[in-house]
Amino acid sequence: YASKSLEQRQKFGDYLEQYLEKNDNLRIAFLLVDTQVGPTKDDVLMFDYLKYLNLNIKIIGTKCDKVGTTHQIRHQKNIANQLNISLNDIILTSSTTKKGIDTIIKTIVDNL
């Protein structure tokens, strides 16, 4: 995304806005946040936009295996505090260990 031209990013933004605002079938939105880094300014901006649209939002904390098991809850709390949400709204995941994948699938099925 970042390597695309400003014009391409604007088109993508317009497409995303239309999809989010006009999709009556949209039941839940997943926002990916790097567990180690925490929410960036762009993440916070998107989260606020999804809240404004009154969508059910779950945060996917990516790459939690990079943090280490003993520090995961601290990073999860950091994300929760920055976005002012419950720990239950965050699913920590790892593509390496597959942690959290079953929870994401269950969340999707529960929202069908």
Side-chain angles (χ1 to χ4, degrees), residues 16 19 35 44 48 50 82 88:
L16 184 60
Y19 178 81
T35 301
V44 173
D48 289 342
L50 295 171
Q82 287 190 48
N88 294 332

Side-chain angles (χ1 to χ4, degrees), residues 8-112:
Q8 288 173 316
R9 285 185 288 178
Q10 182 62 45
K11 283 182 183 178
F12 178 74
D14 292 344
Y15 171 75
L16 184 60
E17 185 177 330
Q18 273 189 346
Y19 178 81
L20 293 172
E21 291 183 5
K22 299 183 191 304
N23 187 340
D24 294 332
N25 295 318
L26 188 60
R27 305 252 171 93
I28 189 166
F30 293 95
L31 179 63
L32 278 62
V33 173
D34 187 309
T35 301
Q36 189 171 18
V37 174
T40 64
K41 288 180 185 178
D42 287 339
D43 294 333
V44 173
L45 186 64
M46 180 55 78
F47 179 76
D48 289 342
Y49 180 59
L50 295 171
K51 269 190 353 187
Y52 168 78
L53 294 175
N54 204 29
L55 293 172
N56 181 11
I57 308 164
K58 289 289 184 188
I59 304 300
I60 306 295
T62 63
K63 302 183 237 172
C64 74
D65 57 298
K66 305 277 188 204
V67 174
T69 307
T70 58
H71 297 285
Q72 288 178 7
I73 191 68
R74 183 176 70 201
H75 287 271
Q76 187 177 17
K77 285 180 181 178
N78 177 49
I79 294 168
N81 289 338
Q82 287 190 48
L83 298 177
N84 196 28
I85 59 173
S86 164
L87 290 175
N88 294 332
D89 292 325
I90 303 169
I91 304 169
L92 294 183
T93 63
S94 167
S95 63
T96 304
T97 66
K98 307 301 181 212
K99 176 180 177 162
I101 304 303
D102 290 341
T103 306
I104 294 171
I105 292 169
K106 183 181 182 323
T107 303
I108 292 169
V109 169
D110 290 347
N111 283 276
L112 291 178

